[in-house]
Amino acid sequence: MSDFWSWYIIILVVINIVAIWGLLHFTRELDVTPEEDGTTGHAYDGIKEYNNPLPRWWLYMFYITIIYSVVYLIVYPGMGNYAGTFGWSSAGQHQEQVDDANAKFGPIFEKYAKIEVEELVKEKKAVVMGQRIFANTCFACHGSDARGAPGYPNLTDSGWLYGSTPDDIKMSITNGRTGVMPPMGAALGEDGLKDVVAYVLTLSGRESPTGDAEAGKAKFVICSACHGAEGKGNPLMGAPDLTDSVWLYGGSPMLIAKTVTEGRMGVMPAHRDILTAEQIHLVTAYIYSLTNQ
Ligand code: HEC
Ligand code: HEC
């Protein structure tokens, strides 16, 4: 924080404390001449007000809170850049908790890190730890049951964009993935689009009411560079298999047409700076366990 803002906060805090003390001091008793009946003369709805001070204990409680705030501001941070005599900081407290957790879980993580994922899935405790990491870090995108959502792959089925081996999965998590499906609407034109969609539908054993699948097959050459000549996909670039029943963005003719026209770009963020290598190993085991038990 710059010196200006530091002083700005210090001055505001001091003014506030002094003002509260002053308010308390000057309102202990009102400086009015009482009426004959001993009241201040203020009346509201027939209720009159005596000029009585606050009960002592009550007044002292207010003073105690002021003293408390001053002591607090001496020992804890609160006055701009001043760190407080205890040297406490939220970052420091967090680091302490992280160190504690590392001391506690470190040996367990280390033990599991040495076990291959294929073996680790048999250790129930390890899978549960991986599941917890998943629930903390991944559920917002992949869902709490890892079944995903449109655009976010289901991790419990047989369809994999980037491969299903432990190494593939670990790579996806560690370095992230970006799948780029280019927009093809302009290249295909309106009829071309209908034909290609019709052809894509036949790949998963369906028929299209519109479009000419045969003509679409001929146009599919511009797709095959990524999806493969038979439409079976390519894990190197995350191009999905179009012949199965697993759809990332939806397999209806309308959604396929939308994907092909506008393109798609799914981003799996890299987690190498968010999780440790040991945590990634455990969450990989959890993901692997979903399809390999
Ligand atoms: C440059 C490579 C590339 C080309 C060319 C390409 N695609 Fe794709 N396609 C991809 C990738 C990568 C994805 C996955 C996008 C993602 O993960 O967000 C994808 C996704 C799709 C999907 C969505 C599948 C699903 O599961 O929801 C369809 C349908 C599709 N492509 C059809 C086509 C068709 C038809 C063509 C040709 C007209 C084509 N693609 C050309 C790379 C390509
Ligand atoms: C911000 C959203 C987001 C978060 C958080 C996220 N993912 Fe992903 N993940 C995605 C998307 C989107 C894809 C698909 C990328 C693509 O379309 O090419 C993906 C792909 C994957 C894949 C590859 C799937 C395949 O079919 O090959 C794996 C494995 C995976 N994620 C696991 C995880 C794990 C484990 C975590 C938590 C540590 C995680 N993801 C966190 C969005 C996310």
Side-chain angles (χ1 to χ4, degrees):
M1 205 176 358
S2 75
D3 275 356
F4 171 80
W5 290 112
S6 176
W7 280 107
Y8 179 80
I9 289 168
I10 292 172
I11 290 166
L12 273 186
V13 171
V14 171
I15 289 177
N16 267 293
I17 292 175
V18 171
I20 289 169
W21 179 82
L23 188 71
L24 207 54
H25 187 75
F26 294 115
T27 55
R28 283 166 65 172
E29 230 171 303
L30 289 179
D31 192 13
V32 288
T33 336
E35 302 282 299
E36 278 165 18
D37 60 1
T39 68
T40 56
H42 302 159
Y44 188 80
D45 255 4
I47 297 170
K48 291 184 178 174
E49 186 187 5
Y50 281 111
N51 189 15
N52 284 343
L54 280 174
R56 285 285 127 176
W57 64 268
W58 190 321
L59 186 71
Y60 289 146
M61 282 228 316
F62 277 125
Y63 280 125
I64 287 168
T65 58
I66 293 176
I67 292 164
Y68 177 87
S69 70
V70 172
V71 173
Y72 180 96
L73 287 168
I74 291 170
V75 297
Y76 282 113
M79 295 290 249
N81 286 337
Y82 170 66
T85 54
F86 281 1
W88 182 91
S89 71
S90 53
Q93 185 175 26
H94 176 246
Q95 191 55 48
E96 239 170 64
Q97 287 166 349
V98 169
D99 291 346
D100 280 355
N102 283 346
K104 195 164 142 209
F105 296 117
I108 308 175
F109 278 143
E110 242 169 70
K111 186 183 115 194
Y112 288 148
K114 293 198 190 92
I115 305 175
E116 295 291 327
V117 169
E118 286 94 335
E119 287 301 309
L120 198 55
V121 292
K122 293 172 195 152
E123 299 248 2
K124 200 162 181 299
K125 259 189 173 168
V127 173
V128 168
M129 279 173 85
Q131 183 175 21
R132 283 207 197 105
I133 298 168
F134 184 87
N136 274 326
T137 321
C138 327
F139 86 98
C141 295
H142 292 284
S144 52
D145 55 0
R147 288 180 190 278
Y152 299 97
N154 181 341
L155 304 173
T156 69
D157 63 17
S158 58
W160 291 89
L161 297 166
Y162 300 96
S164 60
T165 68
D167 283 348
D168 295 332
I169 295 172
K170 197 177 265 187
M171 187 76 93
S172 292
I173 301 169
T174 309
N175 298 330
R177 303 281 196 183
T178 305
V180 182
M181 162 74 204
M184 293 292 206
L188 289 169
E190 209 171 306
D191 288 338
L193 177 70
K194 275 189 194 140
D195 296 346
V196 163
V197 171
Y199 176 64
V200 169
L201 286 171
T202 64
L203 289 175
S204 50
R206 290 179 290 170
E207 267 180 41
S208 171
T210 60
D212 176 351
E214 263 319 298
K217 183 175 182 179
K219 297 197 176 89
F220 195 76
V221 286
I222 56 170
C223 322
S224 54
C226 299
H227 290 279
E230 289 163 9
K232 287 202 161 292
N234 181 348
L236 290 179
M237 51 181 85
D241 184 345
L242 302 175
T243 68
D244 60 15
S245 58
V246 176
W247 295 92
L248 182 58
Y249 294 101
S252 70
M254 203 189 81
L255 285 169
I256 294 174
K258 186 173 158 72
T259 298
V260 177
T261 316
E262 298 169 10
R264 302 277 193 184
M265 196 171 97
V267 177
M268 160 72 196
H271 280 72
R272 66 176 103 76
D273 297 331
I274 299 168
L275 299 173
T276 64
E278 290 85 2
Q279 287 172 318
I280 290 177
H281 191 65
L282 283 171
V283 81
T284 300
Y286 167 64
I287 303 294
Y288 192 72
S289 78
L290 296 172
T291 41
N292 299 270
Q293 269 295 1

